[in-house]
Amino acid sequence: QGMATPRKAEIPLDAMKVLDPRQLKPDCTETERILTVLDETIVKLEITRLILRIIGSLERYAKMLGPEITSSLLEHQKLSMEVQRLLSSPGDEESRIDVEQCLKCSLRNILRLFLANPLLYHGLKYELQVRESPADVFIKAFMEFRDFMLERLLTSPEEEKEKIRFMEDISLQVEKNTEIISALQEELAAAIQTRDEEVKRKDKTIENLKTSIENLAKGCKAEIQQIMKEGKKQQKEDQEASQDRCARLQHDIQRLRAHYNALVLKHRASELVLRKEKCKTEREIQKWVQKYDTDMSEKQAAYEELQAVYKEEKEQLALLMEKHALLLQEYTEIEEERRMLKEKEEEAAREEARRNKAATCIQAFWKGYLVRSIYKSKLKKGKGKGKGKGKGKGKGKGK
């Protein structure tokens, strides 16, 4: 816990590019040519691997292959059989060499024909299911060789140095990590040892507790036996007391049973008297019930008669109520007409009184006006006479 956590080594982008050949791309014509040759070689190897399977099912794929490729494959099959025959019976070395040379030419011709028609090759590749053979291992190794060559061709001296330096850094980081792992393993071993010691100590404590429990059980055994002895003694005493009590209860039961029988004999006569009274009472009740039924029947008949009369009177009442409603409506209309006539008469009387009052006022006003006019004219006349008399007296004095 006290040690610092190791920091992950940071991988430069250029170094990652150097290590991952998938990120490399051809950057010169020579490299492209070399890769083209290697790719064509891989394709030729795959076609060569398929030739034996195609020859084995030549009739099936004849239409797909065409006459030229089919004839070439048949010729190649014959040459292969001839080579096998010559190899099985060694003798004519020159003939074998010539046949092998013809076989190589035939193979090159077949490869040329397949390379001229890549769609046919890809179709047969997915159509045929060839079992894994040593040729597949060789093709896989050759493909790895192609990737290795690509990496080598595209790696510059500076990148090579960077790669070496990067690998050295990784080695140093691995050494540091190894040291850290060793230290952590030592700490882990110490922790495991501490844990084992703690477990041993706890085991020892458990053993001591078990021993104490066993000793306690042995010590309590005598006490348990004493308690059991006392319990048995108490049980025996309780059993004897219970037996005595049961005997007393049995005696009481017998005594009470005899008393019960005596009471039964004693009260049997009174029971007969009560039974007779009960029968008499039941007969009287039955008579009263019959009388009640008769009275109720009569009352029911009277009730039904009254009910019939009630229904008839109710129907008559309904008719009368309908008539009353019609008459009430007519009466209401008549009352309304009377009220309206009365209101009109009252309105006419009020109008006439108002007109009379107005006429009286007008007449009074007119009379007042006439009186004032007459009074004014009289006043004017009186003033004129007074002025005439004064003038006559003045003239006489002057003369």
Side-chain angles (χ1 to χ4, degrees):
Q1 294 178 355
M3 300 181 65
T5 304
R7 187 172 59 87
K8 292 184 179 179
E10 296 180 357
I11 301 175
L13 184 61
D14 296 337
M16 288 296 297
K17 185 176 180 181
V18 170
L19 291 175
D20 191 1
R22 292 175 295 179
Q23 297 183 2
L24 302 174
K25 295 182 180 179
D27 56 355
C28 62
T29 307
E30 289 79 3
T31 304
E32 291 180 357
R33 288 176 180 175
I34 293 170
L35 291 176
T36 303
V37 171
L38 292 174
D39 292 336
E40 289 181 356
T41 305
I42 292 170
V43 173
K44 289 178 181 179
L45 289 172
E46 291 179 348
I47 294 171
T48 305
R49 183 173 63 91
L50 296 175
I51 287 174
L52 292 176
R53 183 63 183 273
I54 295 171
I55 291 172
S57 304
L58 191 59
E59 295 179 356
R60 179 182 176 185
Y61 300 107
K63 293 182 180 180
M64 184 186 297
L65 296 172
E68 186 177 2
I69 297 176
T70 304
S71 60
S72 299
L73 289 172
L74 290 172
E75 183 67 24
H76 183 76
Q77 185 180 12
K78 291 178 182 179
L79 291 172
S80 298
M81 294 173 66
E82 184 66 22
V83 169
Q84 290 178 0
R85 186 182 64 78
L86 291 173
L87 288 174
S88 61
S89 58
D92 192 356
E93 189 69 22
E94 293 181 359
S95 299
R96 185 178 62 79
I97 293 171
D98 293 338
V99 173
E100 287 180 353
Q101 189 66 30
C102 292
L103 182 65
K104 291 178 182 178
C105 293
S106 175
L107 181 60
R108 283 196 294 270
N109 184 35
I110 292 169
L111 293 174
R112 180 181 59 78
L113 293 173
F114 273 106
L115 290 173
N117 192 357
L119 294 176
L120 177 62
Y121 156 67
H122 288 293
L124 290 171
K125 183 178 179 181
Y126 290 106
E127 182 72 20
L128 295 171
Q129 294 181 356
V130 183
R131 295 180 181 179
E132 189 174 356
S133 62
D136 295 326
V137 179
F138 178 75
I139 292 170
K140 186 177 180 181
F142 195 83
M143 292 173 70
E144 293 177 356
F145 172 73
R146 184 257 184 199
D147 294 335
F148 176 73
M149 286 298 297
L150 175 62
E151 182 181 353
R152 295 292 297 174
L153 289 170
L154 297 180
T155 303
S156 63
E158 290 79 7
E159 292 175 347
E160 186 69 23
K161 291 179 182 179
E162 182 68 24
K163 181 178 179 181
I164 293 170
R165 186 167 59 255
F166 175 70
M167 295 302 293
E168 290 176 354
D169 293 339
I170 289 176
S171 300
L172 292 174
Q173 188 66 34
V174 168
E175 291 178 0
K176 291 180 181 179
N177 292 337
T178 305
E179 293 176 358
I180 293 170
I181 290 169
S182 300
L184 291 174
Q185 287 178 350
E186 291 177 359
E187 291 182 2
L188 178 62
I192 291 171
Q193 185 177 0
T194 305
R195 186 199 62 186
D196 293 339
E197 292 176 356
E198 184 69 19
V199 169
K200 289 179 181 179
R201 185 177 61 79
K202 290 182 179 180
D203 290 339
K204 188 175 180 181
T205 304
I206 291 168
E207 290 293 333
N208 294 332
L209 291 173
K210 286 182 179 179
T211 305
S212 300
I213 290 170
E214 290 176 357
N215 295 331
L216 183 63
K218 290 178 181 178
C220 293
K221 189 174 182 180
E223 295 180 1
I224 292 170
Q225 290 177 355
Q226 182 66 25
I227 291 169
M228 291 292 291
K229 186 177 180 180
E230 292 178 356
K232 288 180 179 179
K233 184 178 179 181
Q234 184 67 31
Q235 184 180 4
K236 187 176 180 181
E237 292 176 356
D238 293 340
Q239 187 174 3
E240 291 176 356
S242 176
Q243 289 177 356
D244 294 340
R245 186 177 179 185
C246 288
R248 287 197 303 272
L249 292 173
Q250 188 69 27
H251 182 266
D252 292 339
I253 289 168
Q254 292 176 358
R255 182 175 57 79
L256 292 172
R257 186 173 292 169
H259 182 65
Y260 169 74
N261 293 329
L263 290 174
V264 168
L265 293 173
K266 180 179 178 182
H267 294 293
R268 186 166 293 174
S270 60
E271 182 181 357
L272 291 173
V273 174
L274 292 173
R275 284 180 182 276
K276 289 179 181 180
E277 291 179 356
K278 178 185 175 184
C279 292
K280 184 179 179 181
T281 305
E282 288 177 353
R283 286 194 297 271
E284 290 179 355
I285 290 170
Q286 189 174 4
K287 289 179 181 179
W288 281 106
V289 168
Q290 291 176 356
K291 184 179 180 182
Y292 171 78
D293 292 338
T294 304
D295 294 341
M296 290 304 295
S297 298
E298 294 175 355
K299 290 181 179 181
Q300 182 67 26
Y303 171 75
E304 289 177 355
E305 292 177 358
L306 292 173
Q307 186 70 19
V309 174
Y310 169 74
K311 286 182 179 180
E312 185 178 355
E313 291 179 353
K314 188 176 181 181
E315 292 175 357
Q316 294 177 0
L317 177 63
L319 294 173
L320 293 173
M321 289 297 291
E322 291 178 359
K323 292 180 180 180
H324 176 266
L326 294 173
L327 293 173
L328 182 62
Q329 185 177 1
E330 293 177 359
Y331 175 75
T332 304
E333 292 176 357
I334 293 168
E335 285 292 325
E336 184 67 21
E337 291 177 358
R338 288 178 179 176
R339 185 182 63 78
M340 291 176 69
L341 290 173
K342 186 177 181 181
E343 288 179 355
K344 288 180 180 180
E345 290 176 356
E346 290 177 354
E347 183 66 25
R350 285 195 297 272
E351 183 67 21
E352 186 177 358
R354 186 176 61 80
R355 288 179 179 178
N356 292 332
K357 186 177 180 181
T360 303
C361 290
I362 292 169
Q363 289 176 359
F365 180 76
W366 180 251
K367 288 178 180 180
Y369 174 74
L370 291 176
V371 170
R372 285 193 299 273
S373 297
I374 294 169
Y375 182 70
K376 285 180 180 179
S377 61
K378 287 181 178 183
L379 286 176
K380 286 180 180 181
K381 288 179 179 181
K383 287 180 180 181
K385 289 179 178 182
K387 287 180 179 181
K389 290 178 178 181
K391 288 179 179 181
K393 289 179 178 181
K395 287 179 179 181
K397 288 179 178 181
K399 288 178 177 182

